[in-house]
Amino acid sequence: MFTPSVRLGILGGGQLGRMLLQAAVDFDLQIRVLDPDPTASCAAIAPEFVVGSFQDYDTVYQFGKDLDVLTIEIEAVNLDALKQLQREGVKVFPQPEIVEIIQDKRVQKQFYRDHGLPTSDFILVDNREDARKYAGFLPAFNKLGKGGYDGKGVQRIVTPADFDKAFDAPGLLEKAVSFEKELAVIVARNESGEVKAFPTVEMVFHPEANLVEYLFAPADISPETDRKAREVAGRAAEAFGLVGLLAVEMFLTADGEILINEVAPRPHNSGHHTLRANDVSQFEQHLRAILNWPLGDTSAHCYAAMINLLGAEGFEGPARYEGMEALLATPGVHPFLYGKATTKPFRKMGHVTLIDKDADSLRRKVQTLKDTVRIIA
Amino acid sequence: MFTPSVRLGILGGGQLGRMLLQAAVDFDLQIRVLDPDPTASCAAIAPEFVVGSFQDYDTVYQFGKDLDVLTIEIEAVNLDALKQLQREGVKVFPQPEIVEIIQDKRVQKQFYRDHGLPTSDFILVDNREDARKYAGFLPAFNKLGKGGYDGKGVQRIVTPADFDKAFDAPGLLEKAVSFEKELAVIVARNESGEVKAFPTVEMVFHPEANLVEYLFAPADISPETDRKAREVAGRAAEAFGLVGLLAVEMFLTADGEILINEVAPRPHNSGHHTLRANDVSQFEQHLRAILNWPLGDTSAHCYAAMINLLGAEGFEGPARYEGMEALLATPGVHPFLYGKATTKPFRKMGHVTLIDKDADSLRRKVQTLKDTVRIIA
């Protein structure tokens, strides 16, 4: 049933929450946001903004207890409070049990193995000394079980000497795979079990920051690979029994194999282009999924790219944007600023979507514009 | 210069202001909204919402005096306050002198005549008795000079006996023209003088409510007529010297003539489809124009329609929405609710955009869906 006056809460008030709020305006939802930072991206535009920690049991419980639906825009939230709210009848999507699996990369990887979902080979390790036993498994990535994000919590281990850099904490060794492309699929599943995946996209990472620098949609892959990637993403969402969005990052290996790298149970950087290129955006789709409305058509009406706007190196302080006029003057190009007052090196300050009817023209636009905007202080 | 932290004020907190706010999120603008109704559409989502009358000199002056830019979403505002703010250096767009011309239909019509802009023939009348002198001019429409909106303030006068219904106030008699279609063009002009028009659309009016019931974009007219309509709209914006959006409603006569009916210097119902069908929406374009940024590409990527969601006859009270699931389940269909708590007959409660690659399929969708949603209490 369509209930526009549903009381919806979001844990986390960053840019993902901000874009969820923006999408929610169309449906007249009553939204409340929790974030410890009173200047968070959502603060100025949330109908109700509560300052407090989403990691604190009491804060989350009090925030959520009179809501109809509670969702997250960040995984590092207090799961005990979410489980209690769920027991008391609040719909919590994604479900806390799933967030718990995903929060710990060890459990997440084991989940793929147990459910026959394709992923690279791995060994669980308890600490640095434990890791040293597996020199024969190199080259590998040593990942922290908990707490890593945006490239933090990952170490490349090529030779046994590199084990000195390994994390001295529970983690895993993940076989380094030689891949052709990094792909991502965002899939939605609503409470009734309807599943829809957006077309597969291709991510290009910033060599230093280890963040997505830009992406192309759809990925330049065969229809068969696209189908396979979407199918894997859909199977993952169903294996979890997830309600909401699942962003599935994958490797495409040289022999055409799809391997799940990692997932996020929420809107994701790899879906920002949908704000301009698709019938529904990932943010609207997330709302449809968690409110158990029919999912939107995921098809795109053009080629699209997305460029992250990262704080320039060497600048920290109140943000200023150079070069925005050139962006605004280019057809099909649209900036999204996240409302963060201060910049620092590689901080995600916004993103740009680019759309075009022609893939080559789009790629040229990305090359022209990717270094046009500089965010300085 | 791109200044994301510009302080922008909006007079009026209805649905047009709401969609302006939503567009402004992408640019991180600091927005303040003034409306007398504490439950207005903008109230919950405005970064700053001030309750007060936009028709009161002091309220408007105090609201505006520390803003960089001030705009409107309704014409019935206190122009003296706006003129004073303009003198004190606040950028007021559209300029109050232009709003003053448009506020009075008599002055507006005379403006078209003086500037060689095509419009139907008319006679200014002082009151009902004065109007009676012009029986030879019938059939005509008697329009109030000031205060009419959404079909109010208009009387059809066919025979001399109909003069009994004429307004006993300053107004005009406008020659009834036999037209093929009602068209509209939304054109933007920024402070640097850049002008861009959206493609011409075609409006279908609700027979009883005299409100736009639905529209098609682009209009089913020849490329030559589209060019002519956009050119007339552009000439009107330039004749006014307007900064912002001008929504130009026009008649297309049987012999292919374009006649300006009336204009609104702001986002308009006839441009809502641009939220989904065009590279930039009319709301983003309005922001670009008044902030003197490069105007966005106005091209559409598909056929589009827009259906207004009006309160059902016979219902008044807290709004409930029947039939929304069917809308949400149809590809390319997107509801926009205005956040109005209470419905009444024919009140504009929201709208629906429909997009399709095929014009016939789109028209079928409109026919199927136009009576699907009922807003009851």
Side-chain angles (χ1 to χ4, degrees):
Chain A
M1 174 56 192
F2 182 83
T3 44
S5 58
V6 63
R7 290 159 306 170
L8 172 64
I10 305 175
L11 297 184
Q15 62 263 24
L16 300 174
R18 181 176 171 97
M19 292 181 272
L20 275 175
L21 284 175
Q22 219 177 342
V25 172
D26 300 344
F27 300 118
D28 195 23
L29 305 173
Q30 313 303 308
I31 302 201
R32 182 186 303 174
V33 176
L34 178 68
D35 197 279
D37 177 3
T39 70
S41 292
C42 288
I45 66 163
E48 193 181 341
F49 186 81
V50 178
V51 177
S53 170
F54 41 70
Q55 298 184 321
D56 177 67
Y57 182 94
D58 286 333
T59 307
V60 171
Y61 178 76
Q62 291 301 326
F63 175 81
K65 71 184 167 43
D66 58 352
L67 293 174
D68 300 307
V69 183
L70 183 52
T71 191
I72 62 171
E73 60 115 53
I74 186 166
E75 288 96 308
V77 295
N78 190 293
L79 296 178
D80 291 333
L82 292 184
K83 287 177 187 170
Q84 182 57 32
L85 290 166
Q86 199 176 42
R87 277 190 291 272
E88 294 181 14
V90 178
K91 288 183 183 288
V92 182
F93 298 132
Q95 301 92 320
E97 302 74 21
I98 301 171
V99 179
E100 192 162 32
I101 295 170
I102 293 170
Q103 270 185 354
D104 188 335
K105 290 210 173 72
R106 294 156 57 95
V107 184
Q108 190 186 139
K109 281 290 268 192
Q110 193 60 48
F111 181 88
Y112 303 141
R113 187 174 275 170
D114 294 348
H115 289 79
L117 291 162
T119 193
S120 59
D121 199 11
F122 66 96
I123 296 167
L124 301 182
V125 295
D126 294 332
N127 52 41
R128 190 180 297 145
E129 281 319 295
D130 190 21
R132 288 190 197 277
K133 296 180 197 158
Y134 303 103
F137 196 66
L138 303 184
F141 288 92
N142 176 217
K143 294 185 174 176
L144 265 179
K146 289 190 177 187
Y149 68 96
D150 271 356
K152 294 177 183 70
V154 178
Q155 281 294 354
R156 189 172 156 79
I157 312 284
V158 180
T159 69
D162 292 337
F163 278 123
D164 293 348
K165 304 185 295 190
F167 299 107
D168 198 13
L172 67 153
L173 286 174
E174 204 175 273
K175 194 87 177 171
V177 295
S178 142
F179 57 83
E180 300 271 283
K181 285 177 189 290
E182 295 200 59
L183 305 177
V185 171
I186 290 182
V187 62
R189 183 174 176 277
N190 70 14
E191 213 180 345
S192 304
E194 188 186 6
V195 173
K196 277 191 184 167
F198 285 94
T200 311
V201 306
E202 179 176 346
M203 295 176 294
V204 180
F205 281 77
H206 188 287
E208 287 159 72
N210 203 14
L211 288 169
V212 174
E213 188 179 16
Y214 51 96
L215 70 74
F216 290 103
D220 184 16
I221 51 177
S222 70
E224 171 58 20
T225 302
D226 173 57
R227 196 200 55 71
K228 200 194 287 182
R230 294 165 85 167
E231 188 258 345
V232 164
R235 275 207 290 136
E238 283 174 336
F240 283 118
L242 177 110
V243 174
L245 288 189
L246 192 69
V248 184
E249 297 185 72
M250 292 172 276
F251 300 119
L252 173 63
T253 67
D255 51 358
E257 211 182 352
I258 293 284
L259 300 173
I260 297 179
N261 177 18
E262 55 187 64
V263 302
R266 52 166 171 79
H268 190 260
N269 202 183
S270 60
H272 288 353
H273 63 289
T274 60
L275 284 164
R276 291 286 151 156
N278 294 67
D279 243 26
V280 295
S281 74
Q282 65 165 342
F283 301 99
E284 178 178 335
Q285 194 77 314
H286 184 70
L287 295 173
R288 288 175 179 244
I290 65 175
L291 298 171
N292 204 24
W293 293 344
L295 297 179
D297 182 7
T298 56
S299 61
H301 44 69
C302 55
Y303 291 94
M306 189 279 302
I307 304 173
N308 277 326
L309 294 176
L310 307 177
E313 278 189 278
F315 295 93
E316 189 154 351
R320 291 189 299 124
Y321 298 80
E322 284 184 351
M324 288 291 279
E325 289 83 355
L327 278 190
L328 289 166
T330 312
V333 173
H334 190 82
F336 294 79
L337 302 184
Y338 297 158
K340 297 177 182 175
T342 57
T343 184
K344 57 186 178 185
F346 302 118
R347 187 176 194 195
K348 283 185 193 169
M349 299 298 288
H351 72 266
V352 179
T353 57
L354 306 90
I355 56 175
D356 207 301
K357 293 197 167 59
D358 180 78
D360 291 329
S361 149
L362 178 69
R363 280 171 197 263
R364 282 193 300 273
K365 249 185 228 173
V366 169
Q367 289 312 317
T368 306
L369 292 177
K370 83 185 169 65
D371 300 317
T372 297
V373 171
R374 259 166 52 92
I375 305 171
I376 60 174
Chain B
M1 174 53 190
F2 181 82
T3 45
S5 58
V6 64
R7 291 160 305 171
L8 171 64
I10 305 175
L11 297 185
Q15 63 263 24
L16 300 174
R18 182 177 170 98
M19 291 181 272
L20 274 175
L21 284 175
Q22 219 178 344
V25 172
D26 300 342
F27 299 118
D28 194 23
L29 303 174
Q30 313 303 308
I31 302 201
R32 181 186 302 174
V33 175
L34 178 69
D35 197 279
D37 177 3
T39 71
S41 291
C42 288
I45 66 162
E48 193 182 341
F49 185 81
V50 178
V51 177
S53 170
F54 41 69
Q55 298 184 320
D56 177 67
Y57 182 95
D58 285 333
T59 307
V60 171
Y61 178 76
Q62 291 301 326
F63 175 81
K65 69 183 169 41
D66 57 352
L67 294 173
D68 299 308
V69 183
L70 184 51
T71 191
I72 61 172
E73 61 115 54
I74 187 167
E75 288 96 310
V77 295
N78 190 291
L79 296 177
D80 290 334
L82 292 184
K83 287 178 186 169
Q84 181 58 30
L85 290 165
Q86 198 176 42
R87 277 190 290 273
E88 293 180 15
V90 178
K91 287 183 184 288
V92 182
F93 298 131
Q95 300 93 317
E97 301 74 23
I98 301 171
V99 179
E100 192 161 34
I101 294 170
I102 293 169
Q103 269 185 354
D104 188 335
K105 290 209 174 72
R106 294 157 55 96
V107 184
Q108 193 186 138
K109 281 291 268 194
Q110 193 61 47
F111 181 89
Y112 303 142
R113 187 174 274 171
D114 294 347
H115 289 79
L117 291 162
T119 194
S120 60
D121 199 11
F122 66 95
I123 296 168
L124 301 183
V125 295
D126 294 331
N127 51 43
R128 190 180 296 144
E129 281 319 297
D130 190 21
R132 288 189 198 278
K133 296 181 198 157
Y134 304 103
F137 196 67
L138 302 185
F141 289 93
N142 175 218
K143 294 186 173 176
L144 266 178
K146 289 190 176 186
Y149 69 95
D150 271 355
K152 294 179 182 68
V154 178
Q155 281 294 355
R156 188 171 155 80
I157 313 285
V158 180
T159 70
D162 292 337
F163 278 121
D164 293 348
K165 306 185 295 189
F167 299 106
D168 199 14
L172 68 153
L173 286 175
E174 203 175 274
K175 193 88 179 170
V177 295
S178 141
F179 58 84
E180 299 271 285
K181 286 177 189 290
E182 295 199 58
L183 305 176
V185 171
I186 290 182
V187 62
R189 182 173 177 277
N190 70 14
E191 212 180 344
S192 305
E194 188 185 6
V195 173
K196 277 191 185 167
F198 284 95
T200 310
V201 306
E202 177 176 347
M203 296 176 292
V204 180
F205 281 77
H206 187 287
E208 286 159 75
N210 204 14
L211 288 170
V212 174
E213 188 179 17
Y214 51 97
L215 71 75
F216 289 103
D220 185 16
I221 52 176
S222 69
E224 171 58 20
T225 301
D226 174 57
R227 195 199 56 72
K228 201 195 282 183
R230 294 165 85 168
E231 189 257 343
V232 165
R235 275 206 289 137
E238 283 175 336
F240 282 117
L242 177 108
V243 174
L245 288 190
L246 192 69
V248 184
E249 296 185 73
M250 292 172 276
F251 299 120
L252 172 63
T253 66
D255 51 358
E257 212 183 347
I258 293 285
L259 299 174
I260 297 179
N261 177 19
E262 55 187 61
V263 303
R266 52 165 172 79
H268 189 260
N269 203 184
S270 61
H272 288 352
H273 63 288
T274 59
L275 284 164
R276 289 285 152 157
N278 294 66
D279 243 28
V280 295
S281 74
Q282 64 165 342
F283 301 100
E284 178 178 335
Q285 194 77 314
H286 185 69
L287 295 173
R288 287 176 180 243
I290 65 175
L291 298 171
N292 204 24
W293 294 344
L295 297 179
D297 183 7
T298 56
S299 60
H301 44 68
C302 54
Y303 292 94
M306 189 279 302
I307 304 173
N308 276 325
L309 293 176
L310 306 177
E313 279 189 277
F315 294 93
E316 188 154 352
R320 291 189 301 124
Y321 299 80
E322 283 184 352
M324 288 290 280
E325 290 83 354
L327 277 190
L328 289 166
T330 311
V333 173
H334 190 82
F336 293 78
L337 303 185
Y338 297 159
K340 298 177 180 176
T342 58
T343 183
K344 56 186 180 184
F346 301 119
R347 186 175 194 198
K348 284 185 193 169
M349 299 298 288
H351 73 266
V352 179
T353 57
L354 306 90
I355 56 175
D356 207 300
K357 291 195 167 60
D358 180 79
D360 291 330
S361 151
L362 178 69
R363 279 171 197 265
R364 282 194 300 274
K365 249 185 229 172
V366 170
Q367 289 311 317
T368 307
L369 292 178
K370 82 185 172 65
D371 300 317
T372 297
V373 171
R374 259 167 51 92
I375 304 170
I376 61 175

